[in-house]
């Protein structure tokens, strides 16, 4: 079975632009979470969606938004990009939303110039 | 609020030897799950092992075992018979299992280098 997939792999944007990152969960998984990982740190939780509803939000500004589609895939949108948004963005899926093990995708590396 | 502390920024081990990576946590949640992930230089987070807060026995998965001491709030990862491919960043994480909020918290990670 295919694991979690993310696209694109790499992305270069300039300050002020907008970006959309995409994630497809493992087949059968209904929960998708998004994380930001800056260099030298652990992943920071951004959003969790379960059954197409937002079930958790981390301490990120309103420039960050996400949604989950009927097929359980998800998009993360970031508006008005700042240099500090440069990071590895990781998507993880699990069957349920609680302590179910999350399986991560390969990530999207975003560089903001 | 939850907190995960990994005090070892870097660890070195000889191939075929065992190594322990430390993790302490702080939470007020009565029920929670503890996880360890491996992150090679490629960036993908690879799930290694899970321990529930009410599990009576320490979790084991092949060469990985989790030394869970609930009273001390520690969840150390033990890797037996280290291999060169074990060289990577290792992250400890926790997710609450009650209260309606399942927001996970990760530590800063420990870099493990396995020498031949």
């Amino acid at each position: 079975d295919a694991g979690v997939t993310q696209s694109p792999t790499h992305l270069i944007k300039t300050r002020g632009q907008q970006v959309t990152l995409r994630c497809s969960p493992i087949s059968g998984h209904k929960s998708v979470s998004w994380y930001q990982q800056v260099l030298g740190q652990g992943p920071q939780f951004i959003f969790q969606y379960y059954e197409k509803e937002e079930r958790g939000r981390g301490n990120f500004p309103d420039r960050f938004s996400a949604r989950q589609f009927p097929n359980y895939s998800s998009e993360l949108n970031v508006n008005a990009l700042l240099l500090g948004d440069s990071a590895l963005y990781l998507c993880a899926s699990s069957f349920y939303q609680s302590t179910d093990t999350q399986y991560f995708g390969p990530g999207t590396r975003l560089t903001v110039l | 609020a939850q907190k995960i502390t990994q005090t070892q920024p870097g660890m070195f081990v000889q191939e075929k030897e065992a190594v322990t990576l430390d993790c302490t946590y702080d939470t007020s949640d009565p029920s929670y799950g503890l996880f360890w992930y491996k992150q090679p230089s490629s960036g993908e987070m690879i799930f290694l092992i899970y321990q529930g807060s009410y599990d009576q026995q320490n979790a084991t998965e092949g060469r990985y075992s989790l030394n869970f001491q609930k009273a001390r709030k520690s969840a150390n990862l033990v890797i037996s018979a280290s291999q060169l491919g074990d060289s990577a960043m290792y992250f400890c994480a926790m997710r609450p299992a009650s209260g309606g909020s399942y927001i996970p918290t990760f530590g800063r990670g420990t870099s493990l280098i396995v020498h031949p």
Side-chain angles (χ1 to χ4, degrees):
Chain A
D1 288 340
V4 178
T5 59
Q6 291 185 246
S7 63
T9 305
H10 295 87
L11 205 51
I12 299 175
K13 293 285 189 179
T14 57
R15 281 178 297 175
Q17 285 189 311
Q18 176 264 343
V19 68
T20 298
L21 311 181
R22 295 176 176 84
C23 171
S24 291
I26 292 171
S27 177
H29 283 191
K30 300 181 179 180
S31 179
V32 170
S33 296
W34 287 96
Y35 295 83
Q36 180 195 67
Q37 186 180 21
V38 300
L39 200 62
Q41 296 185 19
Q44 295 292 314
F45 173 80
I46 308 176
F47 286 111
Q48 182 184 46
Y49 278 77
Y50 177 68
E51 287 284 15
K52 291 152 280 183
E53 291 187 5
E54 182 184 302
R55 298 301 183 99
R57 174 186 285 257
N59 189 23
F60 279 81
D62 292 342
R63 300 185 295 109
F64 289 77
S65 64
R67 55 180 175 169
Q68 187 177 33
F69 299 100
N71 66 353
Y72 301 108
S73 67
S74 178
E75 286 183 351
L76 175 70
N77 294 285
V78 187
N79 294 322
L81 285 167
L82 303 174
L83 296 180
D85 295 331
S86 295
L88 178 68
Y89 288 84
L90 294 162
C91 173
S93 78
S94 60
F95 192 78
Y96 293 116
Q97 69 172 60
S98 61
T99 55
D100 245 21
T101 296
Q102 292 186 326
Y103 295 91
F104 283 79
T108 293
R109 200 167 293 275
L110 172 65
T111 302
V112 182
L113 302 176
Chain B
Q2 304 171 100
K3 186 176 181 181
I4 295 281
T5 303
Q6 295 182 253
T7 57
Q8 307 154 313
M11 290 285 287
F12 298 87
V13 66
Q14 201 80 21
E15 193 179 9
K16 299 180 184 177
E17 293 188 346
V19 63
T20 298
L21 306 184
D22 295 340
C23 172
T24 58
Y25 61 91
D26 192 18
T27 182
S28 56
D29 293 292
S31 179
Y32 48 89
L34 295 157
F35 303 82
W36 277 92
Y37 287 88
K38 171 185 177 182
Q39 188 176 42
S41 56
S42 61
E44 184 170 355
M45 299 283 284
I46 302 168
F47 166 73
L48 296 178
I49 196 166
Y50 164 82
Q51 177 85 41
S53 59
Y54 288 109
D55 292 343
Q56 296 296 316
Q57 293 191 331
N58 288 342
T60 60
E61 290 284 351
R63 295 185 299 111
Y64 305 106
S65 61
L66 199 152
N67 184 1
F68 180 47
Q69 298 188 42
K70 193 171 182 178
R72 294 185 176 185
K73 293 189 175 180
S74 75
N76 298 339
L77 177 70
V78 180
I79 305 174
S80 63
S82 296
Q83 301 173 356
L84 296 179
D86 293 335
S87 295
M89 286 292 294
Y90 288 80
F91 291 94
C92 179
M94 178 174 64
R95 294 177 74 185
S98 58
S101 171
Y102 306 110
I103 294 177
T105 303
F106 282 75
R108 294 180 63 92
T110 294
S111 173
L112 176 66
I113 296 177
V114 181
H115 290 298

